[in-house]
Amino acid sequence: MQFLSTIWIFIQDQILGMKWLSSLIGEFLYSIGLDTSGKIGGSVQFFIYDVIKIVFLLCMLIFIISYIQSFFPQERTKWILGTFHGIGANILAALLGTVIEKLHLENQVEEFIRNAKQIDILQEELAVKDRIKYAWEQVVETFKKVFPYILVGVGIGAFIHNWIPEDIIVRFLGTGNPFGVIIATIVGVPMYADIFGCIPIAEALLAKGARLGVVLSFMMGVTTLSLPSMIMLKKAIKPKLLDLFIGICTVGIIIVGYAFNAFQYLLI
């Protein structure tokens, strides 16, 4: 058991966490005269390390997902979803947003959305090289879209990690504040960032003593309820449905946040 624990710690730290990369960057910065134990040097090390780590993990994840996705064209996906019945179908429907559908708010969707035609294109079986090409194209396309947000997110994370005192984070987002989840959700709303841009911010908040549920609420608030996203969504749906969507998401985020706070000791 001790051996397995040691192996898992190694995988978590050196493979997934890439701590060897942090050490390597620290040694390089030290060799050029930058002290990584100070605020400036620490911020630079955090920034370079997190950018490289997140980009690498992002590209690897997108490639794997896209390669698997190449086996599931739209027609095949519809067929798979159509095979679910009973409780399984209800759970799947809930996850896909059909909770809202039962309220019969179809008239709250803008006309141009409801009248849009769907075109199903039959997809031939792809060769391995074609699937690899498709997956790589998805990696490049996604990288171009999210890289600016990664830079912004890592920059904010480096600032939090090295410049904001730990007692401030703990005071507002730690165990002692019962409203930490609500505060984190509200703070996340004005921001606009890709989920991968939120990761370094979440990492820095956790390192400073913020609760797990609080950090998750912040990430969900940023990616789900950001003002720019709501402005774009408002062009597609009417106010009643938009308000319902915001209300359901907000309540859900807060519930999930407090739940993870309650069970944090079991998770980390």
Side-chain angles (χ1 to χ4, degrees), residues 124-138:
E124 298 179 359
E125 196 65 28
L126 299 176
V128 172
K129 66 176 183 179
D130 295 322
R131 298 187 192 281
I132 293 176
K133 180 183 177 183
Y134 168 77
W136 177 248
E137 288 174 348
Q138 294 299 109

Side-chain angles (χ1 to χ4, degrees), residues 138-151:
Q138 294 299 109
V139 168
V140 173
E141 182 179 349
T142 304
F143 175 79
K144 289 179 180 179
K145 292 179 180 178
V146 306
F147 186 63
Y149 301 116
I150 292 176
L151 294 179

